[in-house]
Amino acid sequence: MRMVPIYEELSGWSESTQGIRSWTDLPHTAARYVRRIEELVGAPIVLLGTSPQRDDTIVLQNPYGKL
């Protein structure tokens, strides 16, 4: 079977995401990008790093399920 790649172009963003720790503070196009990745892989994103700093993380869902 031969595979055919599908190229999809999404809008980008120029604002820095460093220091963002809330979903509502993300640039709109960054949030749309994350949601599209979820659709393509068929799985939810639960943690989103917004910079190399460990604290710059958005928790979208509890990664450990219900406690």
Side-chain angles (χ1 to χ4, degrees), residues 16-19 49-57:
S16 174
T17 57
Q18 185 168 356
T50 60
S51 86
Q53 301 302 314
R54 183 180 299 249
D55 290 340
D56 292 345
T57 301

Side-chain angles (χ1 to χ4, degrees), residues 23-59:
W23 178 259
T24 57
D25 293 336
L26 267 182
H28 177 69
T29 51
R32 285 183 43 207
Y33 176 82
V34 171
R35 292 301 183 213
R36 182 63 181 136
I37 297 299
E38 287 180 321
E39 290 174 10
L40 291 170
V41 300
I45 294 175
V46 296
L47 298 171
L48 179 64
T50 60
S51 86
Q53 301 302 314
R54 183 180 299 249
D55 290 340
D56 292 345
T57 301
I58 299 172
V59 178

